[in-house]
Amino acid sequence: MTARRNFKNQVRARAARTGESYTSALRHLRPEALAPEPRNVALAVAQTRVRTDPGDAEALRESGREVRALMRGAGRGGARIVHFPEGALCFPDKRVMSADAPGTVGPADWDRCRWAVLQEELTAVAALARELRLWTVIPSVHRLTGPNRPHNSLYVISDRGEVVTRYDERLLSRTKGSYMYEPGSSPVTFDVDGMRFGCLLGMEIHYPELFAEYERLDVDCVLFSTSGTLGNTAAQAQGHAAVNSYWVGLAVPARQSAATPSGIAGPDGDWLARCAEDGSPSVAVAVLDNGSEAAAEAVTYARPWRREVRAGLYAERRVTDPRSGDRTAAF
């Protein structure tokens, strides 16, 4: 452990002396190191107001204007990709959508949704993404063929204004699954400037197996959008980042920002950037740089080692020893 600490100090000293990144200094001092090829991309996370009635055309248009204003803010901040929370355009309320008596919970009546207006707003978002050359990841309801209910989805819009893929929430809440949406079926990844992203949505932060799945798919960052979850969402996001040694973008509604603002956690679990905590719509930008010291430590050492251990590194080293098998043996 002391030798490892001394070596890390040597790397830091060289980086400070030469102005190199930690990874570049590591390559000079240990050429055989498994440091990844240098890559970086500027990510913005947003927090927005959430409107709950998809039948309210003006509310949908107001949401669209707010989203596009935040996209421009992300562009001014140098972002290459911007990521929005669940409900950025609308988060249909289960009581608003219920086909049963007003204010009750029941099967959703999706005829109440102003689909044409929602499509207009998404089209305008895509046009601005093309204008700004800004990848845009935005949640929305995705209409299916009747009588199927829609998916709860994340659209991935490229910097050319094209929908290149879509993630559909898979592990729905009880209400969503019972009354509102059809579940999705698979993970989704996409690449921007050599960095690979994965998508999760809704309450899926509670399922570590989904985050582990994206680690196996070699993502550099998971983008998680939610309208709110139980428990300490920020701590869970940091935990998933640290355990899997990748970045996590957490996008939540502005109303939750006093306790949990939107933010970007690094692969060591520390926050790199967070939005305003005053309940206002805002964006925060951070550069995902695999040449940073925190990333180099996590990505170069921790992630490959955990994969090696999980692959059965210790399976052949287990001993047959009476003092190992006897769980009551003391001292």
Side-chain angles (χ1 to χ4, degrees):
M1 182 62 72
T2 299
R4 173 72 177 279
R5 185 181 304 112
N6 289 339
F7 178 71
K8 288 169 63 178
N9 288 337
Q10 292 176 38
V11 178
R12 293 188 186 112
R14 178 187 171 91
R17 185 175 67 254
T18 63
E20 297 171 316
S21 70
Y22 186 88
T23 298
S24 296
L26 177 64
R27 284 181 178 278
H28 282 283
L29 292 175
R30 184 181 289 171
E32 74 279 9
L34 298 176
E37 290 298 321
R39 290 174 287 123
N40 65 78
V41 66
L43 168 67
V45 291
Q47 58 191 33
T48 65
R49 297 183 182 91
V50 173
R51 298 162 179 90
T52 59
D53 185 357
D56 185 336
E58 183 50 39
L60 292 175
R61 294 189 178 100
E62 181 59 30
S63 290
R65 288 190 288 268
E66 184 174 289
V67 163
R68 291 187 290 277
L70 292 172
M71 289 173 66
R72 294 186 181 94
R76 288 191 298 271
R80 186 78 172 92
I81 176 172
V82 63
H83 165 219
F84 285 93
E86 183 181 29
L89 289 175
C90 184
F91 184 68
D93 185 276
K94 58 189 177 184
R95 291 179 173 81
V96 171
M97 298 303 295
S98 176
D100 294 342
T104 63
V105 178
D109 178 6
W110 286 103
D111 288 339
R112 296 179 179 178
C113 180
R114 298 291 296 272
W115 292 107
V117 177
L118 183 59
Q119 184 175 357
E120 288 171 6
E121 295 307 316
L122 286 167
T123 299
V125 166
L128 184 59
R130 181 176 62 249
E131 177 185 330
L132 298 176
R133 304 297 294 175
L134 179 69
W135 284 74
T136 302
V137 180
I138 185 165
S140 183
V141 179
H142 180 72
R143 193 176 192 179
L144 300 183
T145 305
N148 293 317
R149 296 175 293 186
H151 288 314
N152 187 39
S153 302
L154 272 170
Y155 288 112
V156 178
I157 302 170
S158 76
D159 59 355
R160 294 184 296 178
E162 301 169 347
V163 176
V164 295
T165 191
R166 189 192 70 249
Y167 176 73
D168 306 319
E169 185 180 2
R170 291 174 283 169
L171 302 184
L172 301 162
S173 68
R174 185 181 300 276
T175 296
K176 284 180 176 178
S178 298
Y179 302 118
M180 301 190 72
Y181 300 107
E182 306 291 0
S185 59
S186 63
V188 162
T189 66
F190 65 97
D191 292 356
V192 178
D193 299 344
M195 301 285 275
R196 175 163 294 178
F197 293 84
C199 300
L200 292 173
L201 184 58
M203 296 186 70
E204 291 181 331
I205 200 166
H206 298 309
Y207 299 95
E209 63 270 27
L210 299 185
F211 287 84
E213 177 181 45
Y214 277 123
E215 192 279 337
R216 293 192 297 271
L217 291 172
D218 283 324
V219 305
D220 298 290
C221 177
V222 168
L223 303 177
F224 172 65
S225 298
T226 185
S227 64
T229 67
L230 299 174
N232 190 328
T233 306
Q236 290 180 81
Q238 290 178 280
H240 290 308
V243 165
N244 293 290
S245 298
Y246 54 44
W247 289 267
V248 171
L250 171 66
V252 302
R255 66 176 180 237
Q256 298 177 17
S257 64
T260 307
S262 293
I264 301 165
D268 58 357
D270 290 339
W271 291 110
L272 300 178
R274 305 193 81 177
C275 287
E277 300 179 12
D278 59 3
S280 64
S282 61
V283 293
V285 181
V287 177
L288 314 188
D289 180 5
N290 72 348
S292 65
E293 180 176 343
E297 181 72 10
V299 176
T300 303
Y301 293 110
R303 190 165 178 176
W305 176 251
R306 289 169 186 157
R307 286 182 170 183
E308 193 173 350
V309 171
R310 287 171 178 145
L313 174 66
Y314 295 118
E316 296 180 358
R317 292 181 53 183
R318 297 192 180 109
V319 299
T320 301
D321 186 305
R323 286 188 59 78
S324 175
D326 183 359
R327 302 295 179 185
T328 65
F331 315 118

